[in-house]
Amino acid sequence: MASESAKFVNNLGTLSFSNCLIEIADDWQWSGGIVTRARRIRLTGVVRRAEFDAFDEMSSTRAIGVGVATEPGQRGVLTLPWTSIAKMKLQSIDMPGDTWLHTVNVTAEFVDDDPDSSKYECSFFGITLINPRFVLQLPFRSVRDEYVQMPISGGTIINTLDATFGAIRSRQTYDNMRCVLSGTHLIEEDFDVQKTVEILAHRGGTNNVASTGLPPGYPAYFNMADLSPELATHLPLTNLWVIDSTLAWSFERDQADVTVQMECPPQLLA
Amino acid sequence: MPIANFNAIPITGPGDQIPVLSRYDPIWGFYTFRQLLENTFNDAQVYHSRAVFQIDGAFTCDAEEVDPDADPAGALIALTTKYEALEALFSAAGAAARPIDTADWFTATDARCIQLPTPIADKLGHRLHAIPLGLTLIEGQYALTLRYSATLGEPQVPSSILLVNGFALNDAQVQIDPPKPIVTRHRMVAGEGSMVNIRNYTQPTISVSGVMPSRAGELLSERAVALSQSLLAGFMELKRVRWSPTGLVVTTLYSNLPVDSPSVDIRPNDRGVSVSVKGLA
């Protein structure tokens, strides 16, 4: 359909389209019981060069990554003649070969795939983890089987149903619980590697971690509510301590995969 | 927007039924320019754009001043010579080695880049360099006009580079293992959980890996040799170099880091040397 104007506003500026054509398509993707909806909007219209330049920080040598040289673009608000849609992604801008001075015909594609869920972020004492995962080993009593040597003398018949030839089974008490928190941490310009290492090791008495119960240098205990109040409602774990952690830094992408392995006494879920 | 102002000059070759508005360049012939800006969103849902340039061009008999009626064979040779020169330009850029110095990447001195014709320029008026992605000769009336479609990509330098003892590693991965407790466990006969004895904490470990480029025909680059020699002293220094609008920003991550089990993996066909080294803080 034809329209007078539409505009897209995000942190980089405003991109106004005049005399534009609008195409809207909705997709639903089914994966098991989860349905994901994505709305794609294509605008073909005239934009002013001055506005376009704000979205295109083209230079002869440009750094990739986030927060460097150019400010990263964020989701924005797309205003159509009859409605406006927040948190839209500007997916692409296509400028066909044409003669132009101050305006140009472009085709811009937007995607509205902002999920209603799975936007959760977690913080491990100041280290923000996006796309977090939390793997929890539930309390259990492990089983230990010991086996006796079967007789090998000639003529002996081994009855496989005879418990005499079976395993000697014993059951352990509940062991400590292990849980692993992992996620992606974006490396900012002022990233302090020593401070991050101290937080991940989480030893009491270090510069960024206070001692809790044990002498300085020993693990600092904490509760799930300190990490994630939302998770703590059903996982009210207490006396967690860090047993292992890693930070795998993809240097040129300015992001790191952080994994923190924790342990706590066996506890019930709420 | 990497473009200033296109003047409209119609292609006037005799094979053209419908004139196309274009520019003329001795290397590119008559051409039109198109730019596609694609945004890539990262895990934080912010985007970073990358441009793809498309140049649709034509070499014509008029421009090359040959007469296809009088000498069709000569006209075809004149046009194919132009196309082959363009193809050679793309081939040479695609086969060029990475500049040893990262600061030279994707500049006028980087042989991997092709300079786009004027008046295509960035918003500051600088000429643009692009890496070759594709070149297609389009079917047509070859004796009269050779048409092609060229695709080039915007080259971009990484935002951060790792320096090990002053030598840059490309595609660097740094794994940091913070101190972890050295634990002895005792299961209890009665009661729940384990009795845990913590003897001490391990020292943090920093494992570094990356690639150092080599020149064509060079198995082990001089820089890789120099880096390995610097590691013989038993210590290394890790620095982070970032591009910023005001210039390079250098931050020291670790200094005097004791070196453990360094190794190089020479890969001649990749024209690079993989370097990995562990540091014990």
Side-chain angles (χ1 to χ4, degrees):
Chain A
M1 60 185 296
S3 165
E4 279 298 310
S5 65
K7 70 176 179 180
F8 176 72
V9 182
N10 74 353
N11 60 315
L12 298 181
T14 301
L15 197 59
S16 300
F17 298 82
S18 57
N19 301 324
C20 58
L21 302 173
I22 303 173
E23 180 183 294
I24 301 177
D26 281 301
D27 298 323
W28 285 268
Q29 292 182 343
W30 293 75
S31 172
I34 301 170
V35 185
T36 307
R37 177 186 177 181
R39 169 174 287 181
R40 300 178 188 280
I41 298 177
R42 178 183 294 169
L43 294 180
T44 302
V46 179
V47 300
R48 294 177 58 210
R49 175 175 180 165
E51 288 185 355
F52 192 93
D53 277 348
F55 285 82
D56 178 12
E57 292 287 336
M58 193 70 63
S59 66
S60 46
T61 55
R62 184 159 67 141
I64 62 172
V66 173
V68 183
T70 59
E71 189 181 354
Q74 297 175 0
R75 290 174 185 259
V77 179
L78 178 66
T79 303
L80 301 176
W82 64 93
T83 186
S84 65
I85 308 170
K87 297 181 180 177
M88 288 289 282
K89 278 173 151 177
L90 173 59
Q91 202 72 24
S92 66
I93 303 179
D94 188 5
M95 187 197 77
D98 205 348
T99 302
W100 76 310
L101 287 170
H102 302 296
T103 59
V104 63
N105 284 310
V106 301
T107 300
E109 287 198 354
F110 301 89
V111 176
D112 174 17
D113 64 348
D114 188 38
D116 295 326
S117 59
S118 69
K119 292 186 292 188
Y120 197 83
E121 279 188 6
C122 194
S123 171
F124 185 80
F125 298 101
I127 301 173
T128 304
L129 302 176
I130 51 181
N131 296 333
R133 284 187 64 192
F134 196 81
V135 181
L136 179 69
Q137 184 191 59
L138 300 174
F140 73 105
R141 297 176 63 190
S142 62
V143 173
R144 177 184 291 176
D145 288 340
E146 291 180 39
Y147 299 93
V148 295
Q149 174 63 55
M150 293 187 294
I152 54 174
S153 58
T156 305
I157 299 172
I158 299 171
N159 181 1
T160 56
L161 299 176
D162 185 350
T164 307
F165 302 112
I168 302 170
R169 173 166 289 183
S170 59
R171 198 122 203 228
Q172 309 285 304
T173 55
Y174 287 100
D175 198 356
N176 281 353
M177 290 168 66
R178 287 278 183 96
C179 44
V180 180
L181 174 66
S182 58
T184 305
H185 178 61
L186 298 181
I187 306 291
E188 302 289 346
E189 194 163 347
D190 57 352
F191 177 65
D192 186 336
V193 63
Q194 272 78 18
K195 180 181 173 185
T196 306
V197 165
E198 284 184 0
I199 292 174
L200 290 176
H202 221 68
R203 301 174 69 176
T206 52
N207 288 332
N208 298 288
V209 185
S211 292
T212 50
L214 290 173
Y218 277 84
Y221 286 84
F222 51 92
N223 298 330
M224 178 57 78
D226 300 325
L227 287 184
S228 165
E230 295 93 329
L231 269 179
T233 56
H234 291 296
L235 291 174
L237 303 178
T238 57
N239 293 324
L240 287 154
W241 54 287
V242 175
I243 191 166
D244 196 1
S245 57
T246 55
L247 183 140
W249 185 351
S250 183
F251 217 81
E252 297 183 357
R253 296 178 63 199
D254 279 335
Q255 68 180 42
D257 294 329
V258 173
T259 305
V260 184
Q261 196 174 127
M262 294 163 283
E263 191 170 307
C264 67
Q267 296 167 53
L268 293 176
L269 309 188
Chain B
M1 178 67 71
I3 187 171
N5 177 18
F6 266 33
N7 290 328
I9 302 174
I11 293 175
T12 54
D16 299 311
Q17 302 300 317
I18 303 171
V20 177
L21 304 180
S22 67
R23 295 279 300 188
Y24 180 77
D25 183 271
I27 295 174
W28 301 86
F30 288 104
Y31 69 93
T32 60
F33 177 80
R34 174 180 184 173
Q35 175 190 320
L36 174 63
L37 202 66
E38 289 184 315
N39 296 336
T40 306
F41 286 77
N42 69 2
D43 288 345
Q45 291 296 302
V46 295
Y47 67 76
H48 146 72
S49 64
R50 183 188 180 96
V52 173
F53 311 120
Q54 184 176 330
I55 292 180
D56 292 323
F59 299 114
T60 65
C61 290
D62 279 5
E64 306 313 319
E65 297 180 341
V66 289
D67 185 351
D69 296 327
D71 182 11
L76 182 61
I77 289 172
L79 300 186
T80 51
T81 302
K82 296 289 286 187
Y83 180 77
E84 284 177 344
L86 185 64
E87 192 179 34
L89 184 70
F90 274 60
S91 299
R98 290 172 284 194
I100 297 298
D101 193 342
T102 313
D104 291 335
W105 278 24
F106 307 132
T107 63
T109 58
D110 189 341
R112 297 173 298 172
C113 289
I114 296 171
Q115 201 166 43
L116 297 186
T118 54
I120 300 169
D122 64 18
K123 58 189 295 185
L124 300 175
H126 299 142
R127 290 190 68 175
L128 280 171
H129 310 89
I131 51 176
L133 296 180
L135 180 64
T136 306
L137 179 65
I138 299 171
E139 62 182 8
Q141 296 169 293
Y142 288 156
L144 306 173
T145 305
L146 274 189
R147 292 184 182 277
Y148 67 86
S149 178
T151 311
L152 301 102
E154 179 197 5
Q156 295 173 348
V157 292
S159 60
S160 296
I161 288 286
L162 177 69
L163 296 184
V164 180
N165 285 352
F167 298 96
L169 283 191
N170 303 140
D171 304 327
Q173 302 286 326
V174 178
Q175 174 159 329
I176 300 172
D177 292 304
K180 61 180 177 184
I182 303 167
V183 171
T184 311
R185 297 171 186 283
H186 305 282
R187 298 297 295 272
M188 291 182 285
V189 175
E192 296 175 350
S194 303
M195 195 170 76
V196 175
N197 175 260
I198 297 174
R199 181 153 56 99
N200 208 326
Y201 268 82
T202 60
Q203 288 295 104
T205 306
I206 296 92
S207 305
V208 175
S209 63
V211 178
M212 298 187 83
S214 304
R215 293 189 179 89
E218 183 184 51
L219 283 181
L220 193 58
S221 71
E222 293 173 2
R223 286 203 157 206
V225 172
L227 171 60
S228 61
Q229 287 173 343
S230 75
L231 294 174
L232 285 178
F235 295 96
M236 67 175 172
E237 183 181 58
L238 302 182
K239 288 184 174 177
R240 182 188 187 197
V241 181
R242 289 175 60 81
W243 271 265
S244 80
T246 55
L248 294 179
V249 179
V250 182
T251 313
T252 301
L253 298 173
Y254 289 98
S255 56
N256 293 324
L257 203 58
V259 169
D260 186 38
S261 49
S263 66
V264 292
D265 176 7
I266 303 169
R267 296 181 300 178
N269 290 345
D270 295 338
R271 274 189 259 158
V273 177
S274 292
V275 179
S276 65
V277 58
K278 193 188 289 183
L280 302 171

